[in-house]
Amino acid sequence: MTQLVIDGPGGSVVLDPGRSYRLGRDPGSDIVVNADRVSRHHAVLWFEGGQWLLQDAGSRNGTYASGRRVQRVVVNPGTSVGLGQASGPGLVRFRAATPPPPPVPRRTRVMAQAVQAGARTAVQTVEDPTVGPAAGTVPFPRAGQWREPVSITDLTGVQVVRIGRAPDNDIVLTDLRVSRRHAELRVTAGVAEIVDLNSRGGTYVNGRPVRRARISPDDFIGIGTSTFRLAGGTLTEYADTGEVCLQAHGLTVTVDGGKVLLDDVTFPVGEKCLLAIVGPSGSGKSTLLRALTGLRPADQGVVTYDGRDLYHDYAELRSRIGLVPQDDILHSVLTVRRALLYAAELRFPDDTSPRERERRVDEVLIQLGLDHRADTRISALSGGQRKRVSVALELLTKPSLLFLDEPTSGLDPGLDKSVMHLLRDLADDGRTVAVVTHSVANLDVCDRLLVMAPGGKIAYFGPPGEALPFLGFDDWADVFLAFDDRTRDWAGEYARSPLHQKYITADLIQPATPSAPVHRSAPPKQQSWHRQLGTLVRRYCRGIVADRLFLGITLVLPILMGLLARVVPTGDLTGPPGSNPSAVNLLLILCVGGCLTGAANAVRELVKERVIYQRERAVGLSRSAYLCSKLLVLGLITVAQGVVLTLVAMVNVETPGEGVFTAPMAELAIAVALLSFTAMTVGLLISAVAKTSETTMPLLVLATLVQLVFCGALVHLEGKAVMEQIAWLVPARWALAALAATLDVGLLMPLTDDPPDPLWERDLGTWLLDVGVLAGLAVVCSFAVARLLRRHEPAVMRAR
């Protein structure tokens, strides 16, 4: 083996095969590469199987070999690897410790000729990192600057160019959000069109999703984080490396009644910038966050993402925006690694391999310093560590913009500082980070500070160190107290100051075109419906198994309810007519038990996951798959509980020799199990209506009392106006009737002035009517839950 030497900006290092090396901008790295686009922990180099391997460690701007972005590369004498970009100050070279071999001839990308007429021409992706853009190519405009292309492909004689993540594509994109076979650019008789190959992430032309579209030189094709332009017989690729500019232009938001939440908010945020947004309650901070992320577009104004209208191109750009809400978007009973793996399954195309997803999760864990906590349950983490996991979840897709809402809320000063320094590192790694916060202790780590005044106006925008002198106070407590003075024109003072000219006007670039309406396409579904359902079901089951308290209650509750039913005297269920006035007591206990077990299982399921659902819905979660996962898992549990409840309650109870159409025990179990399932859908309905978990318990008690009163065991309902009609909507009414029909309870009860309920008739038609209406109520409740789930989603995501 030839011993290798690595030459970098910091000097040369002779590599020892017996150890590994960390490369990055961090001064503690084994090989320090101090360049702007290099991450703090960028790559790892080690010797294995007789060769040296270099692997990207989840860097923001990527690792490049032979001009292409790679995840892992074998390095040999003569190999050059670019950290952060294909060439430039992050370039490292490898050579033998002995005299180096002759220099490799300079190569550029070439296009192979067609093997035969009509054959698809292959694209050869061989290029020298030192080769610049071809003459005549048009750089991609970005916020008044110019972005250099990452590759240029000559299409002379080419008919089809395949684009995707698989290595055998003509143009290979390493973004995991790109499908293996994503799209084709087809050229016929000089006419070019882009064809989406049923990709999960979608193909976009000028920000709009397309299945097939003709391409002109003025069009831009978006696939993952790459943008392509076809002009002059060449296909030029531009990569969104995360260093983007965000600008707000005149954002105004009003609500019913004319109340202004945001008032003409304008400011620029540069590349790799950490922006803090502070202000008193009611100053529009959260409204501004929703407007900047596109979740609730401003009524007036424009948000530009690298010079592109975010609202107009939201369908394409939304996947490049990460949002960490104030509440944790985590299932706390899962381990850190398991939670991130399930999130990766939902966010990446279903053709990504488990190994690819695991590798990306490991990269994020290392990047955020969570690798030693990977197998720890999230509920056992500290507040700061849980916030890191929430950030890690968003970093899986390498967003260029990262927004956080109150990430330090409830944390002690030490954790507050830790989180803010984490955000500083994330911005330095090559992304724009904006954080809404009430904490002012660590604002000095931010590049820009936006102070919002009451009424949704800007009181200050600029470096944090200049804020207090401009506002005229010595500490932030006095500033927030002074905002109570509504007579002071905070926004006007800042607009007339030299700071406004220096930090806003000088850096602001007006959008080229006026804002267009938001294109409300459905969120891209990275997985098929069935794959999403499978992922959700597995995650839900793992969470139930991990929650031992819930699991124990689930197992014990139906047994206890059944034993309670044994305490109630039931009399002889096989006696002569009119001989058993207490026969209905057993049925009443069965109905109450079925209602309680079913509704109690589900009453908190949706409200406790509301923030998680809203965020996952924004990145492509199917609403119906989410609801079906709840119905399937909870339904199986609830049905099993209903059967157990029936069996325990009916032990040693003599029943008639036959039921309506089969054995009485089977009919009783079917009715109670179906009642439990329907009660579960009622519980989901309560959970969808409730605003907090605390309000679900009173609603559960009320629903149970309604079932008890209107089931027909305590009050004769037939012929009583209003009460009978209300009872039609009560599941226990129909379940009790089915149970009574099976045991012929109407015959056992003594004759009174009120004849037995007609729904208790012991015939097949009546029994099928009872269970049919019960099943219909479950369907109606499920449909209502789906509509209520839609109501809780941000308006921009409510695609039908």
Side-chain angles (χ1 to χ4, degrees), residues 41 61-62 73 133 138 157 194 357 366 368 393 405 462 484 497 534 611 640 645 690 719 747 794 798:
H41 305 289
N61 297 315
V73 62
V138 181
I194 189 73
R357 295 193 294 267
I366 293 173
L368 295 182
L393 190 148
D405 189 6
D484 291 333
S497 71
V611 176
L645 168 62
L747 183 64
R798 295 178 190 168

Side-chain angles (χ1 to χ4, degrees), residues 237-254:
E237 176 191 352
Y238 308 92
D240 183 346
T241 60
E243 297 184 7
V244 299
C245 299
L246 178 72
Q247 300 196 348
H249 303 264
L251 301 183
T252 300
V253 175
T254 58

Side-chain angles (χ1 to χ4, degrees), residues 590-636:
L590 285 174
C591 286
V592 172
C595 290
L596 275 177
T597 53
N601 285 341
V603 75
R604 289 188 176 180
E605 278 302 312
L606 302 183
V607 66
K608 74 179 183 182
E609 293 184 355
R610 186 161 295 160
V611 176
I612 299 175
Y613 169 73
Q614 288 173 339
R615 184 59 195 141
E616 290 183 340
R617 179 80 176 104
V619 296
L621 177 68
S622 166
R623 185 190 309 128
S624 60
Y626 176 76
L627 178 56
C628 284
S629 71
K630 297 294 184 185
L631 293 174
L632 183 60
V633 176
L634 279 180
L636 290 175

Side-chain angles (χ1 to χ4, degrees), residues 12 14 135-136 241 249 284 288 364 453 456 491 503 512 551 560 570-571 581 584 588 604 645 655 681 704 768 782:
S12 300
V14 179
T241 60
H249 303 264
L288 176 61
V364 171
Y503 296 120
L551 187 62
L560 292 178
T570 59
V584 76
L588 179 61
R604 289 188 176 180
L645 168 62
T655 59
T681 64
T704 303
L768 291 177
S782 300

